[in-house]
Amino acid sequence: ARRSNFRMLLTFGSMQLVFGAVLVGYDARFQGLSLGSLIVAMAIAAVTMTVYCIGSANVGAVVGQTHAVTTRGIFGTIGSAVVSLLLVVDGMGFYLFTVLFIITLGQALIGTIAAVSLVTALLAFVMIINNYFGFTGLQRFAQFVAVPVILVWGIYATIKAFTSVSGTSLSHVSHSASPASLLVVTGAMVGLSTWGNEPDIFRYAKAGRKSWWNIPTLAISYFLGSFIFPIMGYMIATLSDQSDFAASIKYFANFTLFGLSGLMMVVLLVNQWAVQDGNLYIAINGAQNLLSRIPLWRRQYTVLGLGLAAALLTYILPSLTQTFTYVTGIGAVTVPVASTIMAMDVFVVPRLFGLRRPLYRVASWAELAAANWPAIVALVAGTAVGAFTAGLVPGTPGFGNTYVGFPALQAWVTGAVVYLIGVALVARSRRAKALLGYSRIEDAPDAAPTGGG
């Protein structure tokens, strides 16, 4: 069931070419960043995400399993439950943000929406349709609808904005009482675009030597996503010169689509629907891993259950800006830390310590170890560093007003380093495999394909 690299590019591209990224550039303009600083920030974000994802995505390509299922063999039963719960939280957080974003766009483009709370809840449930039919439905929607539409319009709108805005307007940057630093804007882009569950998508990619062909797929998707819409957002802010995002979107519809607000709403709905496929896919795989012990439980039940949960949760959503800040912050420093640890275990630990974990098939629950404690400690350490430096821990003095360095990168590096140190401490022990939570399955037979099932 492996897909071609081109088809993987279309699928992953639909997850990166998202209109929500206009918020990154839009906010940067009104937070005092110049266009040049924004471009530097986006370049740092794209390079950082590409390097991270080379490891994360190729875990999926080599092992051939979903992110949640792979955590069973690497983190053990306890660790797998923790990571799966984080997958549900992250996926649902982004899912709810996107619903709120679509409603905000709809009210800006087509006017006041009657019974907006009911419409929001209904939209949250309806957008589960593609995931109900699995990865194939997700991929076809992305390949034939989402990517072509948003890419063509995005490039056209950005070029038109560039050729219309004056140099004087671009150089006159708004002054803010609390200007954003370059790394804050970089972190916002990383948090928006780093999903953490890349193995879910790239388990369908080519494995072995051909997995290196994933690098162009990753780099192209990240660079297009990091530049087209953030820069477009900056242009929207410059041309409209008003801090009200909804009003600016209405202005931009008139500017790029000759006042056809309804057409722009259709374009954006197609794009955001494709994004929602990926958001819900994260949560579904995490929840399914937790619920898979229930006899006769089917994936479709998980999809319907999360859809209903999303509909109910729309009634307690905070503002768009608050949701965006917290969701991107939490998303960058939780599941991606687990993915980094998994990449260390699959690609680095065998080379440094000669320990190769049996992952050629999915272990049954009875075959799993209780926990890979070095991995769990590393996950907690990495997440804690990222959360504290990003000001995401309620009840602490820095909650909501602290941002130290590059929290996402600090979290990933901490997780990787702590895990490798933990493995080094137990590697020479006779109980090394037990302490590292190896599943109780035999090593892969010689005839087993190296790319996984």
Side-chain angles (χ1 to χ4, degrees):
R2 303 285 180 161
R3 271 66 166 182
S4 69
N5 294 312
F6 180 67
R7 292 175 70 184
M8 293 306 303
L9 173 63
L10 292 175
T11 302
F12 195 61
S14 74
M15 299 169 67
Q16 300 304 324
L17 288 163
V18 296
F19 190 76
V22 300
L23 282 172
V24 176
Y26 188 88
D27 288 343
R29 171 73 181 181
F30 288 108
Q31 290 173 345
L33 246 66
S34 67
L35 179 59
S37 296
L38 175 66
I39 291 173
V40 171
M42 294 302 96
I44 294 172
V47 171
T48 302
M49 292 186 294
T50 300
V51 172
Y52 151 79
C53 204
I54 289 171
S56 178
N58 280 317
V59 167
V62 169
V63 176
Q65 302 170 16
T66 67
H67 187 285
V69 169
T70 306
T71 63
R72 296 185 196 177
I74 293 180
F75 283 87
T77 304
I78 297 173
S80 179
V82 172
V83 178
S84 295
L85 183 60
L86 291 176
L87 285 168
V88 174
V89 171
D90 282 5
M92 292 299 287
F94 277 106
Y95 190 86
L96 291 168
F97 161 72
T98 304
V99 170
L100 182 58
F101 187 63
I102 291 172
I103 293 298
T104 301
L105 293 174
Q107 290 182 310
L109 293 171
I110 60 179
T112 302
I113 298 175
V116 65
S117 296
L118 181 61
V119 172
T120 304
L122 183 62
L123 182 64
F125 184 77
V126 168
M127 295 183 87
I128 71 172
I129 291 175
N130 288 337
N131 268 282
Y132 188 86
F133 296 101
F135 185 84
T136 299
L138 184 158
Q139 186 188 55
R140 287 177 178 172
F141 187 78
Q143 181 175 345
F144 297 112
V145 181
V147 171
V149 169
I150 201 65
L151 184 60
V152 170
W153 176 75
I155 292 174
Y156 159 74
T158 303
I159 292 174
K160 183 173 183 180
F162 253 124
T163 57
S164 301
V165 68
S166 68
T168 302
S169 298
L170 277 177
S171 62
H172 184 265
V173 180
S174 302
H175 293 286
S176 172
S178 55
S181 70
L182 185 143
L183 286 180
V184 168
V185 177
T186 302
M189 191 67 215
V190 169
L192 179 69
S193 302
T194 306
W195 296 66
N197 75 320
E198 293 81 13
D200 285 348
I201 305 301
F202 284 89
R203 65 192 173 113
Y204 291 99
K206 302 295 183 181
R209 294 180 182 177
K210 292 182 180 180
S211 66
W212 288 106
W213 286 104
N214 289 333
I215 295 178
T217 296
L218 302 175
I220 291 171
S221 299
Y222 279 132
F223 274 86
L224 287 176
S226 296
F227 281 93
I228 291 179
F229 289 111
I231 291 176
M232 182 196 292
Y234 197 91
M235 293 296 105
I236 293 174
T238 304
L239 289 166
S240 65
D241 196 26
Q242 50 188 326
S243 57
D244 184 347
F245 180 70
S248 294
I249 289 297
K250 179 71 173 180
Y251 167 86
F252 209 63
N254 293 328
F255 180 75
T256 63
L257 290 175
F258 315 105
L260 300 176
S261 299
L263 176 60
M264 184 170 178
M265 188 63 217
V266 171
V267 171
L268 296 182
L269 182 61
V270 167
N271 173 246
Q272 295 302 299
W273 197 312
V275 174
Q276 287 296 59
D277 290 342
N279 291 333
L280 192 59
Y281 198 62
I282 297 174
I284 290 169
N285 286 337
Q288 189 65 17
N289 189 44
L290 294 171
L291 299 170
S292 61
R293 294 191 184 192
I294 301 176
L296 303 179
W297 186 267
R298 298 177 61 187
R299 184 182 180 87
Q300 286 83 353
Y301 303 158
T302 304
V303 177
L304 292 172
L306 290 178
L308 289 172
L312 293 174
L313 288 171
T314 60
Y315 288 97
I316 61 172
L317 284 175
S319 69
L320 180 66
T321 301
Q322 286 180 306
T323 305
F324 179 77
T325 300
Y326 291 131
V327 165
T328 55
I330 293 171
V333 301
T334 51
V335 176
V337 177
S339 301
T340 302
I341 293 168
M342 291 161 64
M344 294 298 105
D345 192 89
V346 172
F347 301 116
V348 179
V349 168
R351 289 169 172 79
L352 291 182
F353 306 106
L355 294 168
R356 188 173 300 276
R357 191 179 299 270
L359 293 170
Y360 71 97
R361 69 171 175 85
V362 178
S364 67
W365 287 108
E367 294 172 322
L368 295 179
N372 176 355
W373 292 113
I376 293 175
V377 170
L379 176 61
V380 172
T383 300
V385 168
F388 276 102
T389 57
L392 297 172
V393 183
T396 62
F399 179 60
N401 55 32
T402 295
Y403 201 92
V404 180
F406 193 167
L409 183 59
Q410 290 154 192
W412 306 343
V413 172
T414 299
V417 171
V418 170
Y419 184 58
L420 292 178
I421 290 174
V423 175
L425 292 175
V426 303
R428 296 185 179 278
S429 169
R430 292 181 179 180
R431 300 185 61 247
K433 292 185 176 181
L435 294 170
L436 292 172
Y438 275 44
S439 303
R440 292 180 289 275
I441 61 178
E442 298 178 355
D443 291 334
D446 293 339
T450 58

